[in-house]
Amino acid sequence: MEQKKINFKNSNNPSITMSAVINLPDGFDKNRKYPTVVVSHPGGGVKEQTSGLYAKKLAENGFVTIAYDASYQGESTGEPRQLENPYVRTEDASAVIDYLTTLSYVDTAKIGAMGICAGAGYTANAAINDRRIKSVGTVSAVNIGSMFRNGWENNVKDRDAAPYLEAGSNARTQDASGGKFAIMPLAPLKKEDAPNAELAEAWEYYHTDRAQYPTAPGFATLRSLTQIITYDAYNKAEAFFTQPLQIVAGSNAGSKWMSDDLFARVASKQKKFHIVEGANHMSLYDVPKYVDEAVRVLTGFFKETL
C-alpha cells in the first residue's frame, strides 16, 4: 500500500487549502479505476489519528481511500483556527469528493464515505445532500448537535441547552473585539474534567501517548456553539438518505443512541447495524481487535455496495 500526502483547494472556499492523505492499494495501477472511500475524522481529531487508521486499513483491502483534515483544523488552512462549524464540516466531505472526481483512477460511480464519531454524523449529512456518495459507513456515530443539546447519554432536554447558545453568541461578540478567540473543550482537556470513565478515555486518547498529535489540541472555538446547538446531522434523512448504510457501534458505548437514531430515521432500504461486543465509543478508535472487527464489516459492506 502506498500513501501520498496531498494539498488541494477547497471548492466551497478556495481561500482554504485542504490537507489530506490518499492511500493506494497494493498493486495500484494508475490506468484502472478504483472504488474510493472518503474518511472523516471526529470532532477535535485529525487525519493522523483514527480516520487515518481506518483509511489505511480499508486501502489494504483494495480501496483507494482519503483521510483529510477539516477546514480550519489540522494541517488544512483557514481562520479562525479550530472552528467546528458543522455545516462547513459537512460541506468539506463534498469538497473532498469534488477533488476526487478530478483523479483519473477514481471510479466516480463508486464513491463511498465513512466517518468516526462526529465525522460519522457529518458523513451522514453529506450523504443526504450529495448523491455522489453511493454508500455510507459509520463508526461510533455522533450527531454533534444532538450530543451538545441532549448530553452524552441523551438525558438533557433541548430547551435546557439554551445557555450554550447564549455562551456561543457572547463569544462571537468577544471575538469581534479583536481579542483572542474564546475556546471550549471537545473532549476533556484534563482527566479530572471527565464526567465518566468513557469520556476519561477520550481525554486519554487525545492528550496522552495513546494518540495525541500536535495539530489536534482537543478544543474548538466557543463561537461554534451558535452553529452546533441547532444542527441536526440527520436532517431529512427520512426522505433523502436512501443510500445503503452500515452502522458500527460498541455494545458499551454511551453514544450508541445516536447510531440507533440514524438507523431508525434513514429511508435506506439496505441498512445494517453491527454491534461490537465489549467495545465502548472510544475503543473503536484504535483498540486493534475492535478496529479489525469494524474494518472487516465495513470492507464487506463497501465491496458489496460500491
Side-chain angles (χ1 to χ4, degrees), residues 244-256:
L245 169 66
Q246 175 67 69
I247 289 174
V248 178
S251 63
N252 298 334
S255 60
K256 180 177 169 293

Side-chain angles (χ1 to χ4, degrees), residues 209-222:
D209 288 344
R210 176 171 170 181
Q212 66 183 348
Y213 200 77
T215 56
F219 59 79
T221 56
L222 186 59

Side-chain angles (χ1 to χ4, degrees), residues 26-39:
D26 288 341
F28 174 77
D29 178 352
K30 66 180 181 181
N31 296 313
R32 284 183 53 197
K33 290 188 178 291
Y34 289 84
T36 301
V37 180
V38 178
V39 186

Side-chain angles (χ1 to χ4, degrees), residues 9-294:
K9 294 295 182 186
N10 186 317
S11 55
N12 291 309
N13 183 350
S15 69
I16 290 177
T17 299
M18 304 294 284
S19 177
V21 172
I22 285 186
N23 302 280
L24 305 174
D26 288 341
F28 174 77
D29 178 352
K30 66 180 181 181
N31 296 313
R32 284 183 53 197
K33 290 188 178 291
Y34 289 84
T36 301
V37 180
V38 178
V39 186
S40 297
H41 63 69
V46 290
K47 64 185 180 302
E48 288 81 9
Q49 296 170 327
T50 183
S51 61
L53 176 63
Y54 275 87
K56 177 176 177 290
K57 287 184 173 290
L58 286 172
E60 289 170 353
N61 285 281
F63 301 97
V64 167
T65 64
I66 184 168
Y68 64 96
D69 287 334
S71 298
Y72 309 100
Q73 299 175 26
E75 293 180 310
S76 293
T77 66
E79 298 285 342
R81 299 307 297 164
Q82 302 309 126
L83 183 72
E84 184 75 20
N85 181 327
Y87 301 96
V88 172
R89 291 274 332 247
T90 295
E91 284 292 336
D92 279 348
S94 287
V96 172
I97 293 171
D98 290 347
Y99 171 73
L100 289 174
T101 63
T102 70
L103 302 179
S104 62
Y105 54 83
V106 169
D107 188 337
T108 57
K110 295 183 177 182
I111 294 176
M114 66 155 290
I116 305 97
C117 188
Y122 298 137
T123 297
N125 201 187
I128 290 167
N129 301 318
D130 192 335
R131 311 316 294 179
R132 297 172 300 176
I133 298 174
K134 302 305 182 185
S135 60
V136 175
T138 68
V139 174
S140 294
V142 161
N143 180 344
I144 197 169
S146 294
M147 185 190 76
F148 271 85
R149 286 191 301 273
N150 307 125
W152 186 249
E153 295 177 339
N154 195 24
N155 54 8
V156 181
K157 299 293 186 184
D158 279 4
R159 64 177 176 270
D160 294 327
Y164 290 118
L165 283 174
E166 192 79 25
S169 302
N170 292 338
R172 294 182 72 129
T173 298
Q174 177 186 324
D175 297 346
S177 70
K180 192 174 181 181
F181 275 66
I183 63 171
M184 64 177 183
L186 281 175
L189 296 176
K190 300 177 183 176
K191 187 176 183 180
E192 54 267 30
D193 293 339
N196 55 50
E198 190 171 25
L199 290 176
E201 196 173 338
W203 163 81
E204 178 190 42
Y205 183 85
Y206 286 111
H207 299 292
T208 74
D209 288 344
R210 176 171 170 181
Q212 66 183 348
Y213 200 77
T215 56
F219 59 79
T221 56
L222 186 59
R223 69 189 285 122
S224 302
L225 287 173
T226 62
Q227 286 98 29
I228 288 172
I229 294 301
T230 57
Y231 175 76
D232 177 14
Y234 311 154
N235 182 47
K236 298 298 179 182
E238 300 87 347
F240 301 120
F241 195 127
T242 56
Q243 300 96 320
L245 169 66
Q246 175 67 69
I247 289 174
V248 178
S251 63
N252 298 334
S255 60
K256 180 177 169 293
W257 63 276
M258 287 177 276
S259 291
D260 295 334
D261 186 31
L262 177 61
F263 190 79
R265 288 172 65 178
V266 296
S268 309
K269 290 184 168 58
Q270 184 179 349
K271 58 181 182 177
K272 301 177 183 178
F273 198 128
H274 182 84
I275 294 175
V276 180
E277 290 297 333
N280 66 15
H281 181 92
M282 298 302 305
S283 54
L284 276 166
Y285 282 34
D286 66 338
V287 175
K289 68 176 181 178
Y290 298 137
V291 171
D292 288 347
E293 181 175 337

